[in-house]
Amino acid sequence: MSTETRRPVAERFRRRFVAVVLVLVVVAGLAAVVGSQQGPRLRSVAYDASGIVSRPAQRVIITANQALQRVTASDVRVSPAAAHTVTSSGNTVAVEFAGPLEYDRRYTVTVAGARAPGQRATSDLRATIRTGSTDVLALVRGAGAAKDRIVRRSLDASGATTVYEGTDITEYVRLSRFLVVLSETAVGESSIDVVSLADGVEDQDAPVEHLTLPTSAGHASALHAADDGASFGFQYADTSSGESKDVGLYVVDMTGTHMPEAIAADGTPTTGAVPMTVSQWAYVPRTESALVRTGTDELFLVDMSGRAEAVRLGSATYLHGFVGSGTTAVVESGTGIEQVDLTSGKRTPITAPALSTDAPYLGRIAQLTDRTYLRTVGDVRDDGTIASRIVRVDGTRASRLPVTIPADATLNAVCPSPNGQFVALATRSRDGALVSIVDATTGALEASTAGDQVDWCTALPSGDEVG
């Protein structure tokens, strides 16, 4: 083929290439013009539907289709309203909530007046999120030869699902992928099993791990687990000699050997040590630290991982629980009931209106927020049982929570959900044990299931003095 015949082909290719480039330039220019006139657009939204209702400081990440000028908290609206902070970088905006959001609810997060650098046009970036629901575990004791069952009751579905079956279960705690089950034999000796979970129930294909306890015979109680599932602990008494001795706190590192270690008197996990004495204890929410009231009523903040020394926080005669954020505990001492800042040790008396203290029986305080709590109060019946009622305190105002407790029932526990929106009421009457989930503000019944030993209650301090 001659040079003359190839030249038109090359010329045609060049012209087509130039035309394509010109078209792309024009399209890009038009897109830039349209973008400058319309403003940024929402590209994606990311969040953890379960974490956002169970933990504070959870984020919704909003991503735009282009870089944004700095966005501040005043530029962001959340509906229904929820306290939040805002950070932005590049084309993303992070909305961080101060506390957990409500369950099973639709929220709208709007970034108002979003603008790309160098452009005049603004637009609203509007994202809709749906929070997750929650569930509660309860222990249903078997009648006769039937096994005990740990069941799960979801708030957004009817009926209960059996998570695990066992014999003589006394306590249990839920970790992220495991269930730790404490049982007691007929002769009063304890055993602890670690059960693998799959889809929220026992994994039948995974063997149950039987924990080796500190001595050949002993009694375990006050079982608690860290929120991140990295460890759990319990109170243990050596009974191998026929007497109860070396009663104190032990921890099991789930990332290590799974062997219980004593928390020594200085607050460090030490194999073979004489354990720190315990009257009450619990993990501080969302941490690996524990709040411990010793046998001499001293109050310590103990790092169960052993990475930090124990911090003494004065004394207390009773541990009520924690404020939802986890950095504040509610304790009772000789001077009354106080909130203790676990970062500084500062104590602040709680507000106690007359309605919350004007009764012969004053029970545990279940703190919902910094200023809001529930308290069980009641009168003593002729048979020595308590006719209970629940008082809600909002700041300086107290009112009775309108829930119905059967006349023949004993109220054994009032335990808040992880976000404080609901509370679990554990009652026992002639008809058996019942767990009722009610709205913490209105008292409206949300769900109920047979059983007791509610898993929400494991977030509250327990020990020898707590039934």
Side-chain angles (χ1 to χ4, degrees):
M1 181 180 292
S2 68
T3 303
E4 287 75 11
T5 56
R6 288 198 301 269
R7 190 170 295 154
V9 174
E11 184 67 21
R12 287 197 301 272
F13 176 79
R14 186 185 66 81
R15 287 199 300 268
R16 290 176 180 173
F17 176 78
V18 171
V20 169
V21 171
L22 289 174
V23 168
L24 292 176
V25 170
V26 171
V27 170
L30 289 174
V33 171
V34 172
S36 64
Q37 293 176 345
Q38 292 183 344
R41 290 290 179 265
L42 180 67
R43 174 182 292 175
S44 63
V45 181
Y47 63 99
D48 180 355
S50 58
I52 210 166
V53 294
S54 60
R55 297 185 296 272
Q58 295 297 291
R59 292 181 170 189
V60 171
I61 306 298
I62 295 174
T63 303
N65 65 342
Q66 55 186 305
L68 302 173
Q69 287 188 341
R70 181 173 176 268
V71 176
T72 67
S74 62
D75 300 322
V76 176
R77 300 190 302 267
V78 178
S79 180
H84 62 274
T85 57
V86 173
T87 55
S88 66
S89 177
N91 65 336
T92 63
V93 179
V95 181
E96 181 176 300
F97 295 99
L101 300 184
E102 292 189 2
Y103 296 115
D104 195 21
R105 188 155 190 182
R106 191 180 302 275
Y107 285 82
T108 301
V109 182
T110 304
V111 180
R115 179 186 309 190
Q119 294 184 4
R120 298 179 59 184
T122 63
S123 62
D124 291 349
L125 305 179
R126 184 173 288 104
T128 299
I129 66 173
R130 185 80 189 196
T131 60
S133 186
T134 190
D135 57 30
V136 63
L137 299 186
L139 175 61
V140 180
R141 304 189 185 277
K147 289 186 175 181
D148 299 333
R149 295 182 299 125
I150 297 172
V151 301
R152 182 180 72 239
R153 174 67 161 89
S154 297
L155 268 62
D156 59 352
S158 60
T161 301
T162 298
V163 174
Y164 174 78
E165 291 185 338
T167 304
D168 299 321
I169 299 173
T170 57
E171 297 181 43
Y172 65 93
V173 289
R174 175 167 44 175
L175 282 71
S176 54
R177 296 181 295 108
F178 302 98
L179 191 69
V180 180
V181 181
L182 171 60
S183 304
E184 187 170 307
T185 67
V187 294
E189 296 178 6
S190 296
S191 64
I192 296 179
D193 292 333
V194 180
V195 180
S196 296
L197 300 178
D199 296 326
V201 300
E202 180 184 4
D203 185 353
Q204 299 295 335
D205 295 327
V208 174
E209 179 183 358
H210 305 291
L211 208 68
T212 301
L213 295 180
T215 60
S216 60
H219 176 71
S221 61
L223 187 66
H224 293 285
D227 280 349
D228 63 0
S231 65
F232 67 89
F234 53 90
Q235 185 175 324
Y236 186 79
D238 176 9
T239 60
S240 58
S241 65
E243 298 180 357
S244 182
K245 62 181 183 179
D246 290 344
V247 180
L249 185 60
Y250 286 77
V251 65
V252 176
D253 182 357
M254 292 297 290
T255 66
T257 63
H258 293 198
M259 294 294 293
E261 288 187 297
I263 299 296
D266 63 358
T268 59
T270 308
T271 301
V274 175
M276 172 184 284
T277 62
V278 177
S279 290
Q280 281 181 280
W281 85 283
Y283 279 92
V284 178
R286 292 165 286 280
T287 75
E288 285 190 77
S289 295
L291 188 63
V292 178
R293 180 170 72 87
T294 69
T296 56
D297 284 345
E298 292 181 288
L299 192 61
F300 284 95
L301 187 64
V302 175
D303 185 344
M304 300 289 274
S305 70
R307 290 189 289 266
E309 295 183 355
V311 178
R312 191 177 185 278
L313 296 171
S315 62
T317 56
Y318 190 77
L319 305 184
H320 286 265
F322 301 95
V323 180
S325 62
T327 59
T328 305
V330 180
V331 308
E332 195 159 349
S333 65
T335 58
I337 301 178
E338 304 162 312
Q339 291 185 358
V340 180
D341 186 329
L342 300 180
T343 62
S344 66
K346 180 182 178 181
R347 298 193 175 208
T348 305
I350 70 164
T351 303
L355 189 62
S356 67
T357 58
D358 187 18
Y361 170 79
L362 302 177
R364 186 198 288 269
I365 285 176
Q367 197 86 28
L368 303 176
T369 68
D370 290 343
R371 290 171 46 83
T372 304
Y373 64 85
L374 302 178
R375 188 168 199 183
T376 304
V377 301
D379 301 308
V380 181
R381 301 187 182 104
D382 293 339
D383 61 0
T385 61
I386 305 297
S388 301
R389 57 189 180 274
I390 300 173
V391 175
R392 179 184 168 101
V393 176
D394 294 281
T396 59
R397 178 178 176 272
S399 59
R400 184 170 178 174
L401 189 69
V403 296
T404 300
I405 301 172
D408 67 333
T410 299
L411 179 62
N412 294 323
V414 177
C415 306
S417 63
N419 69 351
Q421 182 181 352
F422 301 118
V423 288
L425 310 182
T427 57
R428 180 171 288 277
S429 65
R430 289 189 297 269
D431 296 329
L434 180 69
V435 175
S436 302
I437 310 300
V438 304
D439 188 288
T441 301
T442 66
L445 180 66
E446 297 289 330
S448 62
T449 186
D452 56 12
Q453 297 284 342
V454 188
D455 68 322
W456 291 356
C457 299
T458 61
L460 302 175
S462 65
D464 291 341
E465 297 182 14
V466 178

